[in-house]
Amino acid sequence: MQALVIVAHGSHLNPDSAQPTYDHADTIRKTGAFDEVREGFWKEEPHFREVIRTVESDEVFVVPLFISEGYFTEQVIPRELRLEGWDPDLWESDGTDATEVTLEVGDAEKTVHYCGPVGTHDAMTDVIVKRAETVTDDPDVGPGFGLAVVGHGTERNENSAKAIEHHTERIREMDRFDEMRALYMDEEPEVDDVTDYFESEDVVVVPLFVADGFHTQEDIPEDMGLTDDYRTGWDVPGIVDGQRIWYAGAVGTEPLMADVILERAVDAGADVGDALEQVESWTSERPAAGD
Amino acid sequence: MEATGWRVADEVLEAFLETVLETDEDDQPVIDFDGLVAERLADGSTYRLETSTTTVEIEASTVANATERSMDELRQSLEPIGPFVTNWYVWERTVGGRETARRAFLRWCEGAPLDDPKVETVASKTDTSDVLDRYDALESGVVRHWGELQITTRLATEDGGCTGTGTGTGTGAGERVYEIRHVQDADATDETLEDHDDPRDAREIVTYDADGRYRPLKTAPTLVAGWRFAGLSGDDLVETVRTIYPATVANWHREQCGDLDVDHWLETAERQTGIYDVIDELPRETLEWLTEACCVDSQCLKRREWEYAADDPIDTDPGDGVFPCREPCSLVIAAARKWAILESEEEKTWELELTTTEMNQLAEIVDAVADGRVDEIREADVYDGANRYRARYLRAKRMDDGSLGEGATNR
Ligand code: SF4
């Protein structure tokens, strides 16, 4: 028997924070690829601390629904899951390469395949592009458009920027959008000046965040000048300095994210049958969560 | 219970015979479960099926060469022990999962003794080891409480409903069917409750309290009433309970097995990093206040098992909850961070101009907020110190810029 455990941050204050985790877990459940699919949280229940013991399977694939490697993936999650013998060096990563490490846990007789975060997986690049398609409602969006991938910045860890750069570079190589930019909330180049960085009349802005919340629903739209007061909402597209800004909201709400979670588990050796194809076929039809 | 009239369902009969036939001749009972013992007699000619009240003997040749007619005969001979046979089928084939929390919980739900070898006390007062008594109880429904949940277990009937008519036969497969509702709705008629059958619907129910506020602590006693999950299978029951009270079944099961791992305050606090690194500085004596603020029954249905340290218990009443709390939760950790910072402040003496009534009023306001009573105070009840007009008057009279300001001086 194999189980998938998706671990995410969650929130004591905002009930929507966990929604993408539940949505993607439900999608994966529907594929039947795992005997059990569970969610575990830092700020909600079941806590990271207790989630492994709720699983009956001997083999557990743990996928962090986090954007970058850093404090959570390297310290908090392994510690709270009681991963025995954990050391960040086991991932042999310089910030975006973590794939998998197999360890035992201290409180149950289980083998845990601890995967790298979803945010750094190559498949995430496709989710960002997909997000641009979803928000513009155009499967061929690209020519005539600029695309900005927005990250938090270096405030909490340096790898956050690396993940943003990684995907920005990969999309640039696709040669699909006229212009590509990595922008940040806390460092240069800043998302506040989004229109300074693009010449295209249309710019899609995709924040590389797991869930919609304070940053993606309040800060970023106001900082960009899309709205004076987030409570009154904003248009998509909205006009800023004469350019059309297609603000996508958190990429983590895109249904195709379920695919990245599965990819992580597959890279770690999970047998998921045709689940990847199933998820891709479903998510190409469905509107994004939260839209 | 009248055990006659049981028509053992085909799938049960087949599974049962298959298992019995697998008997080798080393004199070991092939089935020894919940009071049903099936064994092959030494000479190999006969199978003996024994319960506390009945013994059925079947010729080995009939079992070995079962034709359609002899199958009917076999079915008839099993009738007197029908409940035992279907009970065996349900636990060994449908539920399975020996030594799992899921199985233990489902057994607890119908008052069956936990059959996990790790469970030391075999039966609690309410547990009924006799299968016939249990089936009798399942006819009318076995009711158990789990936090604010009322869980009722019954035998399923042909139409997917429940028994309760006293026919005693159910589907002949012994299948159980479960219902969950809020304990407050114990006496509500089914039609007045909102019906659900998908465990995931529970997510919506647990997210907000009756006033529409987010519930970050799932075991807070603020679960909204007015709904029921009916016709659930065992797996769906466990899934629903898991959604409403995450990880409670797993920890309760560990406790039943005598291996609940408790992390006391100090261990948990010392493990923290980042912004929670400070909580191990919270003074020992504040733990009484912290647990009184967060972990008592009025705030949380879990029974606190953790102490300050293994040899340093906290005096606060740990609560009466059926499920244990094995370490401080994330909400308590987050609050403790605030208190650790507040407790590092020095105490000062303040001089404040207030009448005696105004001083008492401050206490009433704190009380009302702490007990969550603010919304219940009537608009015109100016006799209550925490009444809004009373509070606004006090603010207008004594406070500047939102603080006790001018009136209070630090000496
Ligand atoms: S720490 Fe206290 S409030 Fe938190 S779950 Fe345990 S008993 Fe409840």
Side-chain angles (χ1 to χ4, degrees):
Chain A
M1 275 175 74
Q2 57 174 12
L4 173 69
V5 172
I6 306 172
V7 287
H9 194 283
S11 165
H12 289 154
L13 302 174
N14 177 2
D16 301 325
S17 168
Q19 196 56 49
T21 314
Y22 291 128
D23 290 341
H24 305 320
D26 285 347
T27 304
I28 294 168
R29 252 179 218 117
K30 217 167 62 175
T31 68
F34 292 88
D35 300 292
E36 298 165 285
V37 178
R38 296 246 192 288
E39 307 87 352
F41 300 97
W42 173 233
K43 293 285 191 137
E44 294 183 32
E45 295 161 279
H47 192 265
F48 292 162
R49 200 78 187 145
E50 324 237 70
V51 68
I52 302 287
R53 65 184 53 196
T54 69
V55 167
E56 284 183 22
S57 309
D58 308 321
E59 200 151 355
V60 185
F61 295 84
V62 174
V63 178
L65 194 55
F66 281 78
I67 291 301
S68 51
E69 292 172 29
Y71 179 57
F72 275 97
T73 60
E74 290 176 359
Q75 286 191 48
V76 178
I77 300 169
R79 179 188 76 213
E80 299 295 299
L81 294 183
R82 305 167 172 88
L83 295 185
E84 292 189 332
W86 163 255
D87 185 315
D89 290 343
L90 293 171
W91 261 348
E92 293 179 10
S93 170
D94 69 356
T96 56
D97 308 326
T99 52
E100 189 262 351
V101 54
T102 300
L103 298 165
E104 305 295 310
V105 286
D107 67 326
E109 280 161 23
K110 315 260 176 221
T111 300
V112 170
H113 302 275
Y114 181 47
C115 303
V118 289
T120 55
H121 195 280
D122 282 354
M124 192 68 191
T125 308
D126 301 330
V127 183
I128 298 170
V129 174
K130 175 76 184 177
R131 193 84 192 125
E133 293 171 6
T134 310
V135 71
T136 56
D137 200 18
D138 176 3
D140 302 314
V141 63
F145 275 73
L147 175 62
V149 184
V150 182
H152 200 289
T154 58
E155 185 198 44
R156 276 182 297 187
N157 86 69
E158 58 183 85
N159 289 337
S160 143
K162 282 190 190 163
I164 311 285
E165 301 290 349
H166 177 73
H167 297 297
T168 308
E169 201 43 51
R170 283 173 49 88
I171 300 172
R172 186 174 284 128
E173 281 163 16
M174 289 176 184
D175 228 3
R176 174 166 173 167
F177 294 88
D178 286 0
E179 300 170 276
M180 278 303 300
R181 266 291 188 181
L183 299 177
Y184 302 95
M185 295 183 62
D186 282 355
E187 64 174 278
E188 298 280 325
E190 287 195 17
V191 67
D192 302 36
D193 310 318
V194 58
T195 53
D196 293 354
Y197 296 105
F198 290 92
E199 284 170 10
S200 312
E201 201 171 316
D202 288 282
V203 180
V204 179
V205 177
V206 181
L208 199 58
F209 285 76
V210 163
D212 271 321
F214 180 58
H215 291 316
T216 64
Q217 295 298 296
E218 302 180 19
D219 284 358
I220 300 177
E222 285 186 7
D223 290 352
M224 289 194 298
L226 209 50
T227 177
D228 293 334
D229 181 349
Y230 73 90
R231 283 166 297 197
T232 58
W234 55 86
D235 294 330
V236 179
I239 308 290
V240 177
D241 301 335
Q243 279 164 298
R244 267 198 297 273
I245 304 293
W246 301 77
Y247 181 57
V251 68
T253 61
E254 181 65 36
L256 189 57
M257 275 292 278
D259 177 83
V260 189
I261 297 170
L262 273 174
E263 296 269 9
R264 275 289 182 220
V266 169
D267 293 349
D271 174 8
V272 303
D274 64 352
L276 284 165
E277 292 79 38
Q278 286 186 58
V279 167
E280 271 170 45
S281 74
W282 296 334
T283 54
S284 57
E285 296 152 14
R286 243 186 335 157
D291 278 5
Chain B
M1 143 177 243
E2 270 298 309
T4 53
W6 266 86
R7 185 186 182 279
V8 176
D10 291 350
E11 67 267 30
V12 181
L13 187 62
E14 273 163 34
F16 187 74
L17 293 181
E18 205 178 278
T19 306
V20 168
L21 273 174
E22 277 164 16
T23 329
D24 44 32
E25 280 155 36
D26 61 358
D27 289 341
Q28 290 296 317
V30 61
I31 292 174
D32 183 355
F33 181 77
D34 266 4
L36 171 66
V37 177
E39 58 194 343
R40 189 171 177 165
L41 296 189
D43 66 2
S45 64
T46 312
Y47 291 101
R48 187 210 298 271
L49 315 171
E50 203 172 308
T51 72
S52 57
T53 51
T54 319
T55 301
V56 173
E57 291 196 344
I58 301 176
E59 274 176 35
S61 56
T62 326
V63 179
N65 319 303
T67 61
E68 209 166 300
R69 237 194 75 221
S70 58
M71 282 292 267
D72 275 339
E73 275 171 35
L74 280 169
R75 192 193 308 280
Q76 276 172 20
S77 36
L78 289 182
E79 267 182 19
I81 57 167
F84 287 89
V85 175
T86 59
N87 181 68
W88 164 84
Y89 180 77
V90 161
W91 291 109
E92 298 299 70
R93 294 298 167 92
T94 313
V95 177
R98 268 192 181 270
E99 298 183 33
T100 62
R102 173 175 56 88
R103 179 189 180 98
F105 182 70
L106 292 174
R107 295 209 32 113
W108 176 85
C109 281
E110 66 176 62
L114 306 190
D115 59 352
D116 191 322
K118 294 192 299 284
V119 176
E120 278 156 25
T121 44
V122 177
S124 75
K125 268 183 283 174
T126 46
D127 290 340
T128 316
S129 37
D130 188 277
V131 169
L132 294 181
D133 289 347
R134 218 156 73 213
Y135 266 51
D136 234 358
L138 286 169
E139 289 272 306
S140 44
V142 176
V143 175
R144 291 237 133 162
H145 290 162
W146 189 259
E148 289 186 284
L149 303 182
Q150 172 176 297
I151 301 169
T152 308
T153 310
R154 294 190 173 89
L155 287 175
T157 55
E158 297 282 0
D159 57 6
C162 317
T163 55
T165 52
T167 59
T169 56
T171 60
E175 201 184 319
R176 272 57 158 174
V177 59
Y178 302 86
E179 190 220 63
I180 311 182
R181 61 174 68 192
H182 198 292
V183 285
Q184 278 169 25
D185 294 326
D187 299 325
T189 50
D190 296 351
E191 305 76 56
T192 60
L193 302 174
E194 195 183 308
D195 259 316
H196 298 275
D197 55 14
D198 182 347
R200 275 175 256 164
D201 289 356
R203 262 186 225 147
E204 191 75 16
I205 294 171
V206 298
T207 304
Y208 302 97
D209 67 13
D211 296 323
R213 286 174 304 203
Y214 175 43
R215 297 173 68 239
L217 183 67
K218 294 285 180 288
T219 45
T222 53
L223 187 67
V224 288
W227 46 266
R228 78 176 185 130
F229 285 79
L232 295 178
S233 66
D235 281 353
D236 280 352
L237 169 81
V238 173
E239 196 59 41
T240 309
V241 171
R242 207 197 304 280
T243 304
I244 298 176
Y245 295 133
T248 55
V249 171
N251 282 323
W252 164 84
H253 179 237
R254 279 172 183 250
E255 186 177 52
Q256 298 298 311
C257 295
D259 60 7
L260 180 72
D261 47 337
V262 175
D263 277 14
H264 297 288
W265 171 263
L266 213 50
E267 300 159 58
T268 310
E270 282 170 352
R271 196 177 74 226
Q272 305 301 317
T273 52
I275 60 169
Y276 300 110
D277 194 22
V278 296
I279 67 167
D280 57 355
E281 289 161 27
L282 194 64
R284 163 67 184 87
E285 61 271 22
T286 59
L287 262 291
E288 311 289 337
W289 303 328
L290 177 150
T291 46
E292 193 181 321
C294 304
C295 306
V296 293
D297 283 347
S298 69
Q299 306 302 310
C300 177
L301 298 169
K302 277 193 200 165
R303 170 172 30 88
R304 180 180 52 75
E305 286 297 311
W306 54 269
E307 307 288 354
Y308 180 71
D311 55 359
D312 185 352
I314 295 169
D315 284 340
T316 315
D317 183 357
D320 296 321
V322 54
F323 29 82
C325 172
R326 51 162 300 279
E327 75 176 28
C329 67
S330 72
L331 213 75
V332 159
I333 298 291
R337 173 172 180 254
K338 188 69 190 169
W339 288 318
I341 295 166
L342 295 183
E343 290 297 341
S344 68
E345 268 182 56
E346 255 178 58
E347 291 193 346
K348 298 175 189 171
T349 304
W350 297 84
E351 194 164 274
L352 200 56
E353 294 274 319
L354 293 176
T355 67
T356 305
T357 304
E358 284 168 346
M359 190 63 199
N360 293 340
Q361 195 190 342
L362 289 182
E364 284 180 66
I365 291 171
V366 171
D367 253 356
V369 173
D371 295 337
R373 202 170 57 79
V374 177
D375 290 341
E376 293 159 23
I377 300 169
R378 284 166 299 174
E379 194 82 359
D381 188 3
V382 291
Y383 297 95
D384 193 315
N387 169 270
R388 193 169 78 240
Y389 295 131
R390 286 277 304 276
R392 289 178 66 83
Y393 185 90
L394 185 71
R395 180 173 70 176
K397 178 178 173 188
R398 297 290 188 191
M399 291 166 73
D400 291 319
D401 295 334
S403 82
L404 283 166
E406 296 292 279
T409 43
N410 179 6
R411 286 199 308 183

